[in-house]
Amino acid sequence: MKKIINQTDDILNEMLEGLSYAYSDLVTRVPETNVIVKKNISGSKVGVVSGGGSGHEPAHAGFVGTGMLSAAVCGEIFTSPTPDQVLEGIKAADDGAGVLLVIKNYSGDVMNFEMAKDLAEMEGIEVETVLVDDDIAVEDSTYTAGRRGVAGTILVHKILGHAAESGKSLAEIKEIGDKLVKEIKTLGVALTGATVPAVGKPGFVLEEDEIEFGVGIHGEPGYRKEKLQSSRKLAEELVGKLKDEFNWKSGDKYGVLVNGLGGTPLMEQFVFMNDVKVLLEEDGLIVDFKKVGDVMTSIDMEGLSLTMIHIDTPEWTEALKAPVTTIAW
Amino acid sequence: MEAKQIINWLQLFTDKVGENKAYLSDLDTPIGDGDHGANMARGTSEMMKAIEEKNPDTPTEVFKLAAMTLISKVGGASGPLYGSAFMGMTKASMKSDDLVTILEGGMSEIQKRGKSEPGEKTMLDTWSRVIESLKDGSLTEEKVKEIAEETKEMKATKGRASYLGERSIGHIDPGAMSSSYLFEAMIEAGVK
């Protein structure tokens, strides 16, 4: 294992210190916590809070800022944050109008965030939750009941962050969120496993010429291993599976996110996006929003995921395109 | 029910978890990620540290402090589940000092948090049968041991172990076992 670290136990703390120092104009770390909060919370708006295990950078702290997340709660590497930490995030984000929690569907995350919701309610803060389960790869995985929450979560942050910024109420934002998550689906492909620093070796091993479809963001097993293929072939597999799920027809409106898993250069992500473009054009889709880059990574995993959002209303496009002040959007 | 007695109960529980740390992790290895013993041992000793420092003087305060330290120090899924149990007992103890009522308060929060029912090979199986035995006056330390052992032949339908389906048969559920230490400790401390 070759990594730029000190003690593995100190990674989370040192990463948060470095991040909040580098972007001190945008965010601060709530003292004595693993919470990154945006600067200058004001205006009685609903707070939008997300988080989860670390190792998915820039998610989630990279999306804290005006127009997106109010706060991000960072757990240990690939480990859900504890409820008291999430509670600190809720308190930091609360401006009197309540807080919406965006939770990825992993059992640990769900339990710890729901517990934090109860704790916050005991302190008189109104909290709602939206559960993201966009990964269409597998139904139940090692870590979940139901589908996993992955890169599509970032689109949820963006759209709900915009809704909060434009002054919508907690109930309204919750309603948008519940509608939204049904229209977002993701599928990934991995070329290598991720190395958790404390473990020191990759979580799973693929042969030099082997890939795996549907691997989760913590290296959970996917649905099929195959020999390495061209980007075009990968795009056909991922777009094909998404098409089966969405059941789209010519003229439907979609947004597209190509997300790197941490170890794949932008060059390859753009090549892949070009192949996706061809396939979507063949099907006559209207692509109203596009984005390429690392947003939800798996430490150093090579591979990428394709997220598509069926855009039901022009408001979602507007929200996706609205300017924000965050580190990573 | 007095605060001192509850503290004694939790101290005995902490001792049992500490003594059986390796055993609990072994139980967790085939069906989970093998850290139940380490997590519970860390959580319960932090709980006792907090209790010693703050010296709570009502049962409600003791339960509340236990809930807060367990959820923040245990982690994983066991933290929220045990934390919820103690939070349920906290709430119940505000209205009643009847042990059955308080334990039922804890159990219903575990059910709510884990979205599960007794019979699915989880800690709930210990909780539900201990409460039943308490109601009909048949609860002894031996009975508690038996109850946890009996999860061995069950098939898991909830929790991490459920992904193993049939293969979960033959393993005692680690949460059911750690819960049995809680109730053995309760009997030893004479909590009624």
Side-chain angles (χ1 to χ4, degrees):
Chain A
M1 179 180 71
K2 239 186 211 178
K3 292 199 189 281
I4 300 171
I5 53 171
N6 299 303
Q7 299 302 313
T8 52
D9 280 353
D10 299 334
I11 293 174
L12 176 60
N13 179 47
E14 293 175 358
M15 172 181 82
L16 295 176
E17 285 299 300
L19 179 140
S20 49
Y21 173 71
Y23 294 97
S24 55
D25 51 336
L26 296 179
V27 298
T28 44
R29 180 178 183 180
V30 179
E32 313 285 314
T33 73
N34 298 327
V35 174
I36 298 290
V37 62
K38 79 174 174 190
K39 283 216 152 158
N40 311 319
I41 291 207
S42 65
S44 297
K45 286 171 181 163
V46 171
V48 181
V49 175
S50 192
S54 292
H56 306 302
E57 293 65 37
H60 298 84
F63 302 109
V64 172
T66 303
M68 226 166 150
L69 295 180
S70 318
V73 192
C74 311
E76 286 297 332
I77 295 166
F78 286 1
T79 305
S80 165
T82 52
D84 56 316
Q85 290 287 316
V86 182
L87 175 63
E88 294 297 331
I90 293 170
K91 283 192 201 162
D94 178 46
D95 194 27
V99 170
L100 185 104
L101 297 176
V102 180
I103 311 169
K104 293 192 296 312
N105 190 29
Y106 284 96
S107 311
D109 285 46
V110 172
M111 275 196 237
N112 284 289
F113 276 76
E114 283 186 349
M115 183 119 210
K117 174 182 194 270
D118 289 353
L119 294 173
E121 283 167 351
M122 275 158 69
E123 296 199 15
I125 305 174
E126 214 188 325
V127 179
E128 283 290 357
T129 62
V130 168
L131 190 64
V132 189
D133 57 351
D134 55 320
D135 190 344
I136 63 165
V138 287
E139 209 50 55
D140 291 314
S141 79
T142 330
Y143 297 92
T144 56
R147 289 176 163 178
R148 305 175 294 222
V150 289
T153 311
I154 308 305
L155 303 183
V156 177
H157 294 165
K158 186 69 175 70
I159 293 172
L160 298 188
H162 179 76
E165 190 57 34
S166 46
K168 289 205 161 38
S169 72
L170 182 59
E172 287 168 326
I173 297 169
K174 155 87 175 155
E175 200 189 324
I176 298 170
D178 284 344
K179 213 172 143 201
L180 188 59
V181 292
K182 296 193 188 92
E183 303 297 341
I184 300 177
K185 299 182 196 304
T186 299
L187 191 59
V189 59
L191 314 188
T192 66
T195 298
V196 174
V199 178
K201 57 181 190 340
F204 64 92
V205 177
L206 292 171
E207 298 301 326
E208 189 57 35
D209 62 345
E210 202 179 32
I211 58 168
E212 184 168 349
F213 291 109
V215 168
I217 52 172
H218 311 95
E220 307 93 310
Y223 64 86
R224 194 170 83 232
K225 281 185 191 172
E226 271 197 17
K227 291 285 177 205
L228 182 62
Q229 302 163 1
S230 66
S231 168
R232 177 64 193 250
K233 287 276 177 212
L234 296 181
E236 281 171 9
E237 171 81 19
L238 299 191
V239 170
K241 281 267 190 308
L242 288 166
K243 181 181 177 173
D244 290 347
E245 282 286 324
F246 278 116
N247 211 3
W248 62 55
K249 53 183 193 308
S250 178
D252 287 352
K253 206 174 272 183
Y254 279 83
V256 178
L257 166 69
V258 170
N259 166 55
L261 292 176
T264 287
L266 272 172
M267 181 181 75
E268 294 168 36
Q269 296 178 35
F270 286 131
V271 167
F272 180 78
M273 179 54 122
N274 185 50
D275 289 310
V276 169
K277 162 190 170 270
V278 172
L279 294 169
L280 299 184
E281 276 176 0
E282 277 174 14
D283 275 6
L285 297 192
I286 299 166
V287 180
D288 224 9
F289 171 80
K290 306 137 207 163
K291 193 168 183 67
V292 177
D294 290 4
V295 295
M296 178 72 77
T297 61
S298 181
I299 310 182
D300 53 358
M301 186 185 287
E302 287 177 36
L304 49 75
S305 64
L306 175 65
T307 300
M308 291 185 61
I309 169 173
H310 175 226
I311 297 176
D312 224 17
T313 142
E315 281 166 29
W316 292 1
T317 310
E318 190 192 316
L320 286 168
K321 291 182 178 172
V324 291
T325 54
T326 65
I327 299 169
W329 173 255
Chain B
M1 195 177 279
E2 278 175 35
K4 249 174 85 180
Q5 210 177 16
I6 312 278
I7 292 172
N8 187 27
W9 168 15
L10 296 182
Q11 180 64 60
L12 291 168
F13 173 47
T14 302
D15 295 346
K16 285 180 195 295
V17 169
E19 286 157 22
N20 295 288
K21 188 164 99 173
Y23 177 55
L24 285 176
S25 286
D26 285 348
L27 289 180
D28 192 30
T29 303
I31 56 174
D33 49 7
D35 58 3
H36 188 62
N39 286 343
M40 288 302 293
R42 189 182 58 244
T44 49
S45 47
E46 291 285 344
M47 168 181 81
M48 288 320 297
K49 223 187 276 172
I51 288 173
E52 269 162 40
E53 266 168 35
K54 303 210 168 148
N55 200 19
D57 55 8
T58 66
T60 299
E61 288 300 313
V62 180
F63 287 137
K64 192 174 172 187
L65 201 50
M68 293 307 291
T69 41
L70 290 174
I71 64 168
S72 63
K73 301 296 179 191
V74 178
S78 306
L81 290 170
Y82 271 98
S84 295
F86 277 94
M87 209 187 270
M89 298 202 286
T90 308
K91 287 185 207 160
S93 72
M94 288 171 179
K95 294 174 201 142
S96 166
D97 64 357
D98 173 53
L99 182 59
V100 169
T101 307
I102 290 171
L103 293 182
E104 280 176 336
M107 181 170 133
S108 82
E109 289 291 312
I110 300 172
Q111 271 179 286
K112 197 179 119 203
R113 185 73 51 207
K115 301 182 178 73
S116 56
E117 296 292 326
E120 296 178 319
K121 192 179 178 111
T122 69
M123 63 193 286
L124 269 181
D125 292 303
T126 302
W127 281 73
S128 62
R129 296 195 47 208
V130 161
I131 292 170
E132 271 169 36
S133 308
L134 200 57
K135 279 183 183 166
D136 65 23
S138 69
L139 193 71
T140 61
E141 278 189 66
E142 284 63 40
K143 184 76 189 263
V144 176
K145 282 196 176 81
E146 252 175 60
I147 287 172
E149 291 284 341
E150 280 167 14
T151 65
K152 189 169 178 174
E153 295 318 315
M154 294 170 75
K155 179 176 150 188
T157 53
K158 262 278 150 47
R160 189 76 68 85
S162 66
Y163 306 122
L164 294 174
E166 299 287 339
R167 281 185 290 153
S168 65
I169 297 172
H171 298 288
I172 296 171
D173 182 71
M177 187 50 95
S178 57
S179 290
S180 77
Y181 299 146
L182 178 68
F183 296 115
E184 282 173 33
M186 179 183 85
I187 297 168
E188 273 177 46
V191 176
K192 277 178 193 138

